């Protein structure tokens, strides 16, 4: 027991380890030092004595964008060299690709090898600089490798330029060069010989790329010769070896990328680069233009400033637009792959009816064991189908009648035809009856043939007749009565045999027979409760027999002898059959066949039920492995991490009204009206009886919780696995015809429990159990009820216990505990510490509970996911994928698609649902095949549990760097030769965020996570060890997407600042007005590609393709148009800014953190202040900066530029500005209602005016929020802070350029003009400081003095303005221009002040702390001594610095921004139709499902408020 405890302890230490520890190359030494049993005095267990921080191992996560170049250097080198080649070729005299054959051009092209050598040298230098902190922990061979690579890089950047320069003296054409290679090798140019030597490693790498199996063997080999050879290529690590795919997989993704890169480079050459050459040559040949400002570099030759300005955005677009091409090609390849995989072949009820009869055969092929296939008939499929339909009824997606129509017979009744579900036979029997009624005597053959034209109709008639005979015979007890029925049957069969049916029967009366029979069946369906009902059944049967014999049968009078005999017939009935489930099913089915009309063709009416039925039917025809019997299948577990979310909604939560006057329950009733109606029908409650409805609150709580993102919904869904296994195991035993003495059900449950385990990691369960808080106590009780409801459910949690020490102190001990049932403890494992303090909460919550899982497979399920019974039936098939090779190896992670079930709430939820759906279907389909770079994305993937639990688990949990812990599981698996696949024949449900702010938090969290991934060792290793094409796939589908999003936004800035330089310097005017150049269209044409990215088309393309596959391309086109009308491009463009802001900030300054998005139902109105706080820095500030750029560009270029040219160039940028400023309000419910607008203004003004930030939350005070917004700078490095300072210098160009265009300067270009403009700024800042000091000194006791002081300042400023107007010819337009000039300068001052504080601390205070602190000479002190020094120095800085003035200046800017943004909202709120328009815009999808949003938002109460009955 002690040894096993030690092993568990070691296992848990391994799971919770920091990222840099436990490398395999050191584990053997570690264990040798520890010995066995462990030496507890070893250094491993005593770390507290060490003062200096331990060096990193192999890799250092430095916050810099240079990681992108270092990790993906081959991609950047390729694109840079390709750009250089295209530039050289297009610059040649021919300007076409054929020009490369020219000797001079070809020689120039060869210069790319010099560029390649330089880029490789930069990469090697970065390797040394970025890993220097890890050298203290590296092997000497690895350090030697870095140094040798560095010196080799230096050698090549010397050799290649020198030899190239020598080759210029004796030029040789391409043809002469080729001849010399074969005839005059000794005369070969030294440069060409150097190229050959330089390319030898690349040639060898290309050869190995074509032999992937050999490369895998070499990388895994322990032969010394091979180790020495591979040492130069990669460090000797356990991971990132042998990852190369088989040759077929390589061919597929190489083909994808060759076609893509060819298209991209052709587009770049002919559209982006070539059209720019002639205008560029013209500009370079011109004399430097007349500057309209004081040119800092007046002697800059050849207008290089103009060339750089116009080429900079082109270069950015060149590097970014591969992402656009990837979106296009992945959409095409994904669509073709999906079509070949049979995705969407059954997407409507009509298609379902056509293919339904082939479903049992498809079911047998994939769901029945091979040796049992022939022994089973359609009943095995019907068993699964009926279980599926019953689950739909239990979930209230269908009504009782719809259930009866969809159900197949549960057991055989010896019918001569297959009894298909009634919905396939809708209107078949009534149509046949109509044909019979309209037939004439002698047309028996024609009538039969007409009925037989529809095989279903003919079979339905046969089934009705045979079922009727069986039912009537079973119902009768009297022998004479049964004889009469047999006589009638004999007459009917003789008539059919002799073709005298129309002669023997009066077909005009058959309708009366049908109606009478329907009445009888209706009575039989309703179970008799008294003698009156039984008498009605007897009368109905007698009426049916009388009409049949006397009216319908022409010679039937003799069957019933006389009236007295008739009265005595058919009275002795077996009423017990009406209570038997089998016979009641027969009554219902026959009644449906007789009465169903064409309207039954639309069953079911619920859209979710239709989706699930069609997907299940479609999946049966998709390729999937054959399922084994349950006792032979792979066992598996499901693990769900849970923190503090809702388990089950309480009655208070359901009935509590929000600020819009609606409750969650009322909201759900309106969103799901059909499901609410079905629910009331299921529990037997009259919807009009409010008191009766109120008495079913417990059932209502469950119904509402199953429609939210609650733990109860997730647990119910996952427990479907057990239910499915029970059904399948029972069918297996039935097929084997084993005699188990009636214990089949118990045995099925036992086997299901062996094969399936469900563990929910409820981290705080123990705290909730001991808590006195009502909500936390309620969570505990609800979880306890779940365990009682589902006995197979297991709860794992972290338990804390205080244990007394020998010295009398108390120490906390932590345990992983597993409980079941009525809180019965199963296991308790002592932990070395609190797991959630070691790393991130969610992954460590999984890590501590993973030891309680069982089986060979493990499915990771989030708390907001769902499952369906019909999909659970396919789990056996999915698990069999682990035994099948996909490419070179068997899978280690099975990817599974999802359905986003929150898409019907609003247009935003619909956009998010479509975006996520396209990613988890067409996106991951392409990632898995052909690209082979699918990872794990937090979706319901199934892990090879044994593989992962022995290789670090499924969750990396290091703080911050592993924020997006899900994808690291995929990285981890791939680096260790794993294989990740994707399968679309099975799906689970998942909830997503439904409100604008929730979605923004989610996007911010993912962008933060991608920022951290950019810095991590996993991405670096994958980028280096993947081949070139898989590396491209990985880059553009992970961190590259976010980097390219940032580049797309950066392109706009670079373009506009370049235009600002051209227009303010006067160079654009001289170019456009030059008669030798007609227009500048090539520049605008080349920039047009980035507008596609901005408008969100990239994210819409995959959606259209996937919707087209699964719903039809007509539906896809309709949805595309609706999305445009609902402003989907605005939504995606807005979130382009979210991605850019948080990704860039994370890489520069860190600050990545988990952001709770909330999983609420009601789409509430967010106040203006809340939106302002959330989007001020990420969107509003940037949008206003772009707005000023556009205004300045418009104002100072309008005199010489046509308006159409301006619109053509800037239309997409105006759209970007509009989206970033107003999208949060357009997508904010009730934003344009006047009373809410007034409330929002009051709330925002109060928040802005609230002074004092200490001790207040950011939501309470602007000052507290302003300080919190700059917290990320405090953690910034000197490098990142200096970069922030350099980037903020861009804001000075406004003032520098505009002051020279003022009327008051009289075209004076002296530098003193610019200096005087700073004097004006100084006067304004002094005035602010005076007012600030006056407020501080006089506002409390000398209010009058303070007012006089403000008046004096105001009069002085007015006086200065008068002097300027009168004495110096200041124009009114100059005032507006000065505002445009000084606003950016003021913002620059604010940015500089925010950066200088942390920068001063880094450069001065911290070095002083190191010098003065004696406790930690290594400089890593975080103790109270240095903390006090930092606190005191910060206080001194605040006192001596102009911090108060800066704060007041910032407040003034915030007021201005807020008013500018709020003003259009206030104006639009005046018009009542705006609110109605916005409601229609936001909730169109809900309208289509019967949602009365106008009533909801108005807060009108209906029957939605239900109080709890105690």
């Amino acid at each position: 027991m002690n040894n096993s405890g030690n092993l568990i302890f070691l296992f848990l230490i391994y799971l919770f380890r920091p990222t840099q520890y436990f490398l395999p190359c050191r584990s053997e030494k570690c264990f040798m030092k520890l010995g066995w049993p462990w030496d507890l005095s070893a250094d491993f267990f005593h770390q507290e004595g060490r003062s200096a921080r331990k060096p990193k191992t192999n890799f250092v996560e430095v916050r810099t964008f240079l990681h992108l170049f270092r990790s993906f250097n081959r991609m950047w080198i390729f694109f840079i060299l390709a750009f250089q080649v295209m530039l050289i070729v297009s610059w040649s005299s021919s300007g076409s690709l054929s020009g490369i054959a020219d000797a001079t051009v070809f020689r120039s092209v060869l210069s790319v090898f010099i560029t390649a050598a330089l880029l490789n040298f930069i990469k090697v230098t970065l390797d040394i600089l970025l890993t220097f902190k890890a050298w203290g922990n590296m092997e000497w061979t690895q350090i030697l490798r870095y140094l040798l690579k560095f010196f080799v890089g230096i050698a090549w950047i010397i050799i290649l330029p020198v030899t190239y320069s020598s080759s210029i003296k004796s030029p040789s054409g391409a043809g002469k060069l080729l001849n010399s290679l074969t005839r005059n090798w000794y005369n070969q140019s030294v440069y060409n010989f150097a190229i050959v030597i330089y390319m030898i490693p690349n040639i060898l790498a290309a050869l190995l790329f074509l032999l992937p199996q050999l490369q895998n063997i070499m990388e895994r080999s322990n032969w010394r010769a091979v180790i020495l050879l591979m040492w130069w290529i990669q460090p000797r690590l356990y991971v990132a070896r042998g990852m190369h795919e088989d040759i077929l997989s390589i061919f597929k993704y190489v083909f994808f990328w060759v076609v893509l890169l060819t298209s991209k480079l052709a587009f770049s050459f002919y559209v982006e680069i070539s059209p720019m050459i002639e205008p560029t040559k013209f500009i370079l040949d011109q004399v430097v233009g007349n500057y309209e400002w004081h040119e800092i570099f007046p002697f800059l030759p050849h207008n290089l400033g103009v060339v750089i300005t116009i080429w900079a955005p082109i270069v950015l677009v060149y590097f970014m637009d591969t992402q656009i091409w990837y979106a296009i090609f992945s959409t095409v390849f994904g669509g073709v792959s999906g079509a070949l995989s049979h995705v969407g072949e059954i997407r409507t009820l009509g298609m379902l009816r056509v293919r339904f009869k082939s479903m049992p055969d498809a079911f047998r092929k994939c769901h029945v064991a091979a040796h049992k296939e022939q022994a089973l008939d359609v009943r095995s499929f019907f068993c699964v189908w009926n279980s599926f339909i019953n689950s739909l009824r239990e979930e209230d997606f269908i009504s009782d009648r719809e259930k009866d129509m969809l159900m197949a017979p549960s057991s055989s009744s010896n019918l001569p035809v297959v009894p298909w579900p009634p919905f396939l036979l809708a209107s078949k029997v009534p149509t046949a009856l109509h044909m019979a009624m309209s037939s004439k005597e002698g047309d028996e053959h024609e009538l039969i043939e007409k009925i037989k034209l529809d095989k279903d109709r003919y079979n339905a008639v046969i089934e009705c007749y045979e079922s009727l005979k069986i039912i009537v015979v079973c119902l009768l007890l009297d022998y004479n009565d049964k004889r009469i029925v047999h006589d009638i049957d004999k007459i009917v069969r003789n008539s059919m045999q002799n073709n005298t049916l129309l002669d023997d029967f009066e077909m005009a009366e058959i309708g009366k027979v049908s109606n009478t029979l329907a009445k009888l069946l209706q009575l039989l369906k309703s179970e008799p409760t008294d003698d009156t009902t039984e008498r009605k059944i007897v009368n109905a049967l007698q009426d049916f027999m009388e009409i049949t014999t006397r009216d319908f049968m022409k010679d039937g009078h003799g069957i019933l002898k006389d009236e007295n005999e008739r009265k005595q017939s058919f009275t002795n009935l077996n009423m017990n059959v009406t209570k038997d489930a089998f016979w009641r099913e027969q009554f219902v089915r026959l009644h449906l066949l007789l009465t169903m009309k064409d309207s039954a063709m639309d069953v079911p009416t619920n859209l979710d039920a239709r989706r699930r039925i069609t997907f299940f039917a479609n999946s049966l025809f998709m390729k999937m492995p054959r399922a084994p019997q349950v006792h032979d299948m792979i066992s598996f577990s499901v693990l769900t991490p849970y923190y503090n979310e809702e388990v089950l909604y309480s009655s208070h939560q359901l009935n509590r009204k929000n600020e819009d006057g609606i409750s969650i329950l009322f909201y759900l009733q309106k969103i799901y009206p059909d499901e609410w109606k079905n629910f009331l029908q299921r529990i037997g409650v009259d919807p009009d009886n409010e008191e009766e409805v109120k008495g079913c609150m417990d059932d209502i709580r469950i119904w509402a919780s199953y429609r939210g993102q609650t733990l109860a919904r997730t647990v119910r869904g996952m427990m479907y696995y057990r239910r499915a296994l029970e059904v399948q195991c029972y069918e297996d035993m039935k097929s084997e015809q084993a005699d188990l003495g009636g214990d089949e059900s118990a045995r099925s449950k036992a086997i299901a429990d062996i094969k399936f385990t469900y563990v929910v990691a409820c981290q705080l369960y123990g705290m909730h159990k001991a808590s006195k808080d009502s909500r936390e106590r309620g969570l505990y009780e609800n979880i306890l009820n779940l365990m009682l409801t589902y006995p197979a459910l297991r709860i794992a949690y972290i338990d804390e216990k205080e244990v007394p020490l020998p010295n009398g102190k108390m120490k906390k001990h932590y345990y992983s505990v597993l409980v079941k049932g009525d809180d019965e403890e199963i296991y308790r494992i002592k932990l070395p510490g609190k797991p959630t303090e070691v790393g991130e909460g969610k992954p460590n919550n999984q890590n501590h509970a993973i030891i309680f899982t069982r089986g060979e497979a493990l499915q990771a399920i989030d708390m907001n996911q769902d499952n369906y019974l019909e999909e659970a039936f396919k789990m056996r098939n999915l698990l069999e994928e682990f035994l099948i090779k996909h490419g070179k190896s068997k899978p280690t992670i099975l990817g599974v698609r999802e359905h986003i079930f929150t898409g019907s709430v609003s247009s935003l939820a619909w956009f998010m649902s479509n975006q996520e759906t396209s990613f988890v279907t067409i996106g991951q389909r392409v990632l898995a095949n052909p690209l082979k770079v699918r990872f794990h994305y937090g979706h319901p993937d199934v892990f090879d549990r044994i593989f992962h639990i022995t290789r670090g688990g499924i969750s990396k949990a290091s703080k911050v760097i592993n924020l997006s812990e899900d994808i690291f599981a995929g990285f981890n698996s791939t680096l260790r030769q794993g294989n990740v696949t994707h399968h679309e024949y099975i799906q689970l449900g998942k909830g997503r965020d439904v409100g604008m702010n929730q979605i923004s938090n989610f996007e911010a969290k993912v962008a933060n996570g991608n920022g951290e991934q950019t810095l991590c060792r996993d991405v670096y290793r994958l980028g280096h060890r993947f081949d070139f094409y898989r590396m491209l796939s990985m880059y553009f589908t992970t961190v590259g997407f976010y980097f390219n999003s940032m580049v797309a936004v950066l392109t706009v800035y670079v373009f506009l600042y370049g235009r600002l330089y051209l227009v303010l310097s006067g160079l654009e005017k001289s170019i456009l007005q030059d008669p030798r150049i007609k227009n500048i269209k090539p520049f605008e044409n080349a920039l047009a590609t980035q507008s596609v990215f901005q408008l969100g088309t990239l994210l819409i393309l995959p959606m259209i393709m996937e919707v087209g596959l699964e719903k039809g391309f007509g539906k896809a086109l309709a949805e595309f148009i609706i999305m445009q009308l609902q402003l989907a491009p605005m939504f995606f463009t807005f979130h382009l800014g979210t991605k850019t802001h948080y990704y860039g900030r994370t890489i520069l300054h860190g600050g990545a953190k988990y952001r709770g998005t909330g999983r609420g139902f009601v789409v509430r109105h967010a106040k203006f202040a809340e939106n302002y706080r959330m989007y001020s820095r990420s969107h509003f500030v940037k949008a206003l900066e772009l707005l000023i750029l556009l205004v300045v560009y418009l104002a100072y270029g309008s005199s010489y530029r046509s308006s159409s040219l301006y619109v053509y160039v800037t239309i997409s940028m105006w759209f970007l500005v509009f989206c970033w400023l107003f999208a949060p309000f357009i997508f904010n419910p009730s934003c344009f209602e006047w009373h809410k607008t007034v409330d929002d203004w009051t709330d925002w003004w109060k928040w802005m005016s609230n002074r004092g930030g200490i001790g207040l939350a950011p939501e309470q005070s602007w000052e507290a929020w302003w300080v919190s917004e700059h917290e990320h700078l405090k953690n910034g490095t000197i490098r990142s802070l200096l970069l922030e300072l350099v980037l903020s210098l861009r804001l000075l160009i406004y003032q520098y350029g505009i002051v020279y265009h003022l009327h008051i300067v009289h075209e004076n270009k002296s530098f003193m003009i610019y200096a005087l403009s700073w004097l004006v700024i100084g006067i304004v800042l002094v005035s602010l400081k005076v007012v600030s000091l006056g407020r501080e000194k006089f506002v409390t006791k000398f209010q009058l003095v303070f007012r006089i002081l403000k008046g004096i300042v105001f009069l002085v400023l007015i006086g200065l303005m008068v002097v300027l107007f009168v004495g110096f010819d200041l124009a009114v337009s100059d005032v507006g221009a000065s505002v445009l000039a000084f606003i950016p300068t003021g913002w620059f001052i604010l940015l500089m002040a925010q950066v200088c504080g942390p920068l001063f601390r880094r450069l001065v205070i911290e070095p002083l702390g190191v010098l003065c602190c004696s406790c930690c000479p290594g400089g890593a002190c975080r103790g109270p001594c240095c903390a006090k020094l930092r606190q005191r120095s910060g206080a001194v800085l605040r006192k001596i610095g102009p911090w108060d003035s800066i704060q007041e200046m910032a407040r003034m800017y915030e007021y201005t921004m807020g008013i500018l943004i709020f003003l259009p909202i206030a104006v639009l709120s005046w018009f009542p139709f705006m609110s109605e328009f916005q409601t229609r815009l936001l909730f169109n999808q809900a309208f289509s499902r019967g949602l009365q949003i106008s009533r909801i938002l108005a807060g009108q109460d209906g029957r939605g408020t239900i109080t709890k009955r105690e």
Side-chain angles (χ1 to χ4, degrees), residues 596-607:
M596 276 193 306
K597 306 297 182 183
D598 290 336
S599 59
M601 305 283 281
D602 294 328
V603 171
T605 57
N606 184 276
L607 298 182

PDB file of all heavy atoms in Angstrom, residues 596-607:
ATOM      1  N   MET A 596     -54.166   9.387 -40.958  1.00  0.00           N
ATOM      2  CA  MET A 596     -53.103  10.345 -41.268  1.00  0.00           C
ATOM      3  C   MET A 596     -53.320  10.977 -42.636  1.00  0.00           C
ATOM      4  O   MET A 596     -53.562  10.292 -43.628  1.00  0.00           O
ATOM      5  CB  MET A 596     -51.737   9.656 -41.239  1.00  0.00           C
ATOM      6  CG  MET A 596     -51.115   9.552 -39.865  1.00  0.00           C
ATOM      7  SD  MET A 596     -49.377   9.085 -39.959  1.00  0.00           S
ATOM      8  CE  MET A 596     -49.447   7.602 -40.929  1.00  0.00           C
ATOM      9  N   LYS A 597     -53.185  12.308 -42.673  1.00  0.00           N
ATOM     10  CA  LYS A 597     -53.325  13.060 -43.908  1.00  0.00           C
ATOM     11  C   LYS A 597     -51.956  13.530 -44.382  1.00  0.00           C
ATOM     12  O   LYS A 597     -50.918  13.184 -43.831  1.00  0.00           O
ATOM     13  CB  LYS A 597     -54.254  14.263 -43.692  1.00  0.00           C
ATOM     14  CG  LYS A 597     -55.607  13.900 -43.103  1.00  0.00           C
ATOM     15  CD  LYS A 597     -56.402  12.992 -44.027  1.00  0.00           C
ATOM     16  CE  LYS A 597     -57.785  12.679 -43.438  1.00  0.00           C
ATOM     17  NZ  LYS A 597     -58.533  11.741 -44.287  1.00  0.00           N
ATOM     18  N   ASP A 598     -51.934  14.361 -45.416  1.00  0.00           N
ATOM     19  CA  ASP A 598     -50.667  14.865 -45.967  1.00  0.00           C
ATOM     20  C   ASP A 598     -49.896  15.718 -44.975  1.00  0.00           C
ATOM     21  O   ASP A 598     -48.678  15.867 -45.102  1.00  0.00           O
ATOM     22  CB  ASP A 598     -50.942  15.685 -47.229  1.00  0.00           C
ATOM     23  CG  ASP A 598     -51.394  14.796 -48.376  1.00  0.00           C
ATOM     24  OD1 ASP A 598     -51.050  13.600 -48.343  1.00  0.00           O
ATOM     25  OD2 ASP A 598     -52.072  15.289 -49.287  1.00  0.00           O
ATOM     26  N   SER A 599     -50.556  16.309 -44.003  1.00  0.00           N
ATOM     27  CA  SER A 599     -49.869  17.161 -43.025  1.00  0.00           C
ATOM     28  C   SER A 599     -48.846  16.374 -42.214  1.00  0.00           C
ATOM     29  O   SER A 599     -47.904  16.944 -41.668  1.00  0.00           O
ATOM     30  CB  SER A 599     -50.886  17.813 -42.081  1.00  0.00           C
ATOM     31  OG  SER A 599     -51.630  16.823 -41.392  1.00  0.00           O
ATOM     32  N   ALA A 600     -49.022  15.058 -42.143  1.00  0.00           N
ATOM     33  CA  ALA A 600     -48.067  14.235 -41.403  1.00  0.00           C
ATOM     34  C   ALA A 600     -46.718  14.165 -42.104  1.00  0.00           C
ATOM     35  O   ALA A 600     -45.746  13.687 -41.524  1.00  0.00           O
ATOM     36  CB  ALA A 600     -48.622  12.827 -41.213  1.00  0.00           C
ATOM     37  N   MET A 601     -46.644  14.636 -43.332  1.00  0.00           N
ATOM     38  CA  MET A 601     -45.377  14.647 -44.051  1.00  0.00           C
ATOM     39  C   MET A 601     -44.389  15.608 -43.404  1.00  0.00           C
ATOM     40  O   MET A 601     -43.184  15.514 -43.627  1.00  0.00           O
ATOM     41  CB  MET A 601     -45.603  15.055 -45.504  1.00  0.00           C
ATOM     42  CG  MET A 601     -46.624  14.216 -46.237  1.00  0.00           C
ATOM     43  SD  MET A 601     -46.000  12.613 -46.729  1.00  0.00           S
ATOM     44  CE  MET A 601     -45.074  13.048 -48.179  1.00  0.00           C
ATOM     45  N   ASP A 602     -44.868  16.572 -42.620  1.00  0.00           N
ATOM     46  CA  ASP A 602     -43.999  17.565 -41.985  1.00  0.00           C
ATOM     47  C   ASP A 602     -43.610  17.176 -40.567  1.00  0.00           C
ATOM     48  O   ASP A 602     -43.111  18.021 -39.816  1.00  0.00           O
ATOM     49  CB  ASP A 602     -44.699  18.929 -41.956  1.00  0.00           C
ATOM     50  CG  ASP A 602     -44.907  19.473 -43.360  1.00  0.00           C
ATOM     51  OD1 ASP A 602     -44.070  19.195 -44.228  1.00  0.00           O
ATOM     52  OD2 ASP A 602     -45.915  20.177 -43.579  1.00  0.00           O
ATOM     53  N   VAL A 603     -43.851  15.945 -40.182  1.00  0.00           N
ATOM     54  CA  VAL A 603     -43.513  15.487 -38.833  1.00  0.00           C
ATOM     55  C   VAL A 603     -42.060  15.031 -38.830  1.00  0.00           C
ATOM     56  O   VAL A 603     -41.636  14.280 -39.714  1.00  0.00           O
ATOM     57  CB  VAL A 603     -44.449  14.342 -38.424  1.00  0.00           C
ATOM     58  CG1 VAL A 603     -43.990  13.694 -37.138  1.00  0.00           C
ATOM     59  CG2 VAL A 603     -45.880  14.854 -38.278  1.00  0.00           C
ATOM     60  N   PRO A 604     -41.276  15.473 -37.832  1.00  0.00           N
ATOM     61  CA  PRO A 604     -41.643  16.379 -36.735  1.00  0.00           C
ATOM     62  C   PRO A 604     -41.555  17.847 -37.173  1.00  0.00           C
ATOM     63  O   PRO A 604     -40.827  18.182 -38.101  1.00  0.00           O
ATOM     64  CB  PRO A 604     -40.578  16.068 -35.676  1.00  0.00           C
ATOM     65  CG  PRO A 604     -39.373  15.672 -36.462  1.00  0.00           C
ATOM     66  CD  PRO A 604     -39.891  14.947 -37.669  1.00  0.00           C
ATOM     67  N   THR A 605     -42.248  18.698 -36.452  1.00  0.00           N
ATOM     68  CA  THR A 605     -42.247  20.122 -36.779  1.00  0.00           C
ATOM     69  C   THR A 605     -41.099  20.869 -36.109  1.00  0.00           C
ATOM     70  O   THR A 605     -40.680  21.916 -36.586  1.00  0.00           O
ATOM     71  CB  THR A 605     -43.581  20.761 -36.350  1.00  0.00           C
ATOM     72  OG1 THR A 605     -43.782  20.524 -34.946  1.00  0.00           O
ATOM     73  CG2 THR A 605     -44.741  20.153 -37.123  1.00  0.00           C
ATOM     74  N   ASN A 606     -40.588  20.339 -35.005  1.00  0.00           N
ATOM     75  CA  ASN A 606     -39.490  21.007 -34.301  1.00  0.00           C
ATOM     76  C   ASN A 606     -38.212  20.942 -35.133  1.00  0.00           C
ATOM     77  O   ASN A 606     -37.821  19.885 -35.617  1.00  0.00           O
ATOM     78  CB  ASN A 606     -39.274  20.329 -32.936  1.00  0.00           C
ATOM     79  CG  ASN A 606     -38.215  21.015 -32.114  1.00  0.00           C
ATOM     80  OD1 ASN A 606     -37.032  20.759 -32.270  1.00  0.00           O
ATOM     81  ND2 ASN A 606     -38.644  21.902 -31.222  1.00  0.00           N
ATOM     82  N   LEU A 607     -37.537  22.077 -35.292  1.00  0.00           N
ATOM     83  CA  LEU A 607     -36.360  22.142 -36.156  1.00  0.00           C
ATOM     84  C   LEU A 607     -35.197  21.324 -35.598  1.00  0.00           C
ATOM     85  O   LEU A 607     -34.453  20.691 -36.355  1.00  0.00           O
ATOM     86  CB  LEU A 607     -35.937  23.603 -36.347  1.00  0.00           C
ATOM     87  CG  LEU A 607     -36.962  24.515 -37.025  1.00  0.00           C
ATOM     88  CD1 LEU A 607     -36.396  25.917 -37.186  1.00  0.00           C
ATOM     89  CD2 LEU A 607     -37.347  23.949 -38.384  1.00  0.00           C
TER      90      LEU A 607
END
